[in-house]
Amino acid sequence: MNKKITVFISFLLMTTSIIAQKPQKLTSNQIYEKVQKLNFLGSALYIAAHPDDENTRLIAYLANHEKARTAYLSLTRGDGGQNLIGPEIRELLGVIRTQELLAARGVDGGEQRFSRANDFGYSKHPDETLKIWDKEKVLEDVVWAIRTFKPDVIINRFNHRTPGTTHGHHTSSAMLSVEAFDLAGDKTKYPEQLKHTQTWQPNRLFFNTSWWFYGSRENFAKADKSKMMSMDVGVYYPLKGLSNNELASIASSQHLCQGFGRLTTRGTQTEWVEFLKGDFPKDKNDIFSGINTTWNRIKGGGEIGDILYEVEKNFDFVHPEKHLPSLLNAYKKIQGLKDEHWKKIKTKQLKEIIEACTGLYLEVSANSSSTTPNGSVTLNFEALNRSTTSMELTSIEILPEGKNIAKELDLAPNKKQNFKEEIVLGTMDYSAPYWLKTPWTLGMYQVNDKTKIGNPESARPIKVKYTVTIEGEVISFVKPVVYRYSQRDKGEIYEPFEVLPEVTTKLTDKVLIFAEKASRKVAVEVRAGKNGITGKVGLNVPNGWSVSPKEIPFSIEQKGDIQKVNFVVTPTSEESEGYIKTVATVKGKTYEKELIEINYDHIPKQSVLLPSQAKVVRLDIKKEGSQIGYIQGSGDAVPESLRQIGYKVTEINIGDIGEQNLSQFDAVVIGIRAYNTKKELQFKQKYLLDYVKNGGNVIVQYNTNRRVDVKAPYELKLSRDRVTDEEAKVSLLAKEHLVLQYPNKITDKDFNGWVQERGLYFPNSWSKEYTPILSMNDKGESPKQGSLLIAKYGKGNYVYTGLSFFRELPAGVPGAYKLFTNLLSLKDNNE
């Protein structure tokens, strides 16, 4: 096998290990790179708004070429975007994108930080953004990030001087960074933070500019560059067998739910940064110029540097364990440093190097994927010294329980030590993303423990501290408990070990539309978090609604098993909305959470606990027809929503579309971004248009306007027009059009209660055959009339809509259901 390919695969396997929580198994090349980073005492913080905003080329360059400790501060977790790989949206999408960011950082060598800001969707101006976010709290979080990470250099992804020209979140991230740059060093600002950290003044602040911000390459070529620096980020790393750009491309490709999978690139590429604040670098070729990034930076660091620079200079790639005496000597001296910031960072880095040089393998795995508070779990321990170094395992401590297990095991060379211990946990919090444990608002998550703010994820609930004596030096290594198993078709699999409730419940449907006065069955799933669980489960319903029976007993023998029960819910006679909530009771204790498991191959399995509830809507709605064909695009929950109101929805495989098989449907709906993500759809367009021509009804939902042709029957040009204010006034342009009259009368009130936005990527020009139905606009903008266009084509109707039905229907918005039903009910124009 080609040597470069071997190194490349090794690197990817190492990255996968980080993501999947396997213990690191570093090659000599990787150990050496860690030694290089150990000897660089400089930090850089990159700041933007969302997952995928970060410039992975620059982050990778700073982390791997400069060897700087580099982090990306994403103000949000991307909760307001779309999901190209599954049905999760909003807070669940934020969980996925958090893990994809961690995966990206696992590739490019950076670290990850966040604020409490909630991505509420596209915003056109920072004024709106900062009002919804609560500017003061997010600014506080940026100051906290600077004070705790202590960067020498801050780089903004976006321009703070151009509000209103791009996404409001983008500009806001830069504006907050510029303001926080000055506040972080002021002890009178956010003084409560100083109980946990210290003030910090970064040396310099930059804006990561490019020709794009100047409108063209020609404009940028003419721009004054006296305050700019450039870096060739196309450098090649022989130790990796990869160029920096290849590394960056692999990192970006971790953002799979955003469709960021991409080809790797190589060769020279220039990145520019514009100086904004602080002291300008003495050397324009070195972003850290004038900043002491050596061990002499900290008191007592000089003698440590003398030891470790020598290790780096004479590193033995064949026998890295030869450096152990020097590494242990440096470790001992680092423990005497008074600079707690660098002491903590360099201790962690050095312990990783010592562990790797000795081939020390430490792991602790549970016999199941989860347990409950006060539950018991069997832990399987493994300790192995794969070097000739004298080593002894002296003790094990279970964290946070504090339970000590005395061990005096001689870790003889390559002699594996395996043993088991059953531990009983005390009362402890459930495993779940910490920012989702407390109710949140449209713009902000609430985090009660201030020290957790900014952390990418919750700490693992159970860890094990191995205390090992290596050549007389006592060093502790902390490892999270994992769940390890194998599958024949996948091999060895590592999952996070979780602490979960004894009982969780789930309402099968998240939105229940009662289109009639009749009662209906509501299914609830009860899931056992441990063996032998018995209790009762009931439903709380809104005022005016009723449920029978009040409670249903359950008894589940095996952990992980599910018992399904059915209640009968009767709605009010008039239209109304509300929530039904499940409450399970076991031995007097109530459980009101649903366990949602997110499991994709490219990120660790995630366990999320959210309130077990569903929205219920009593809706007087009429509909025409019953058979709906649905062609999925990037994935949405519209088919399930349509089934809620009695439609029979058949999901159509694009490859099966032919001359005859569409005629069975009363309407065919094309899912969001289908023409963006399903290239083969263009080859089936003839059959779709023939279906319309013969009296059918096709409804095309939004597509982005980049490099796409929806092949409409008449000229239609997509744009980036959107209305982000979900409360924006909607005017009915074609008041007499059938779609606003039949079978449901559409009025202004049907646009109340919409969520996140009105719609996106509206067409901005179209031929005369289309009838624009609605007009709407955000504050200060001209009216947009392209949100819903309908054209007669032959005997049928072709509909193109950018209205965000994919958000409104799963959210149970009554007016959206009525309007969408009218679209499905459009009649043959020749009747």
Side-chain angles (χ1 to χ4, degrees), residues 124-126 158-168 170-172 174-175 207 212-213:
K124 293 181 177 178
H125 200 281
F158 299 106
N159 191 349
H160 68 288
R161 298 159 295 198
T162 54
T165 60
T166 184
H167 197 320
H170 292 170
T171 310
S172 294
M175 292 168 65
F207 158 45
W212 187 88
F213 292 97

Side-chain angles (χ1 to χ4, degrees), residues 513-521 545 568-573 618:
I513 307 295
F514 289 74
E516 301 173 347
K517 298 178 183 178
S519 303
R520 61 184 286 189
K521 287 183 179 180
W545 295 61
V568 176
V569 173
T570 304
T572 57
S573 57
R618 169 68 180 95

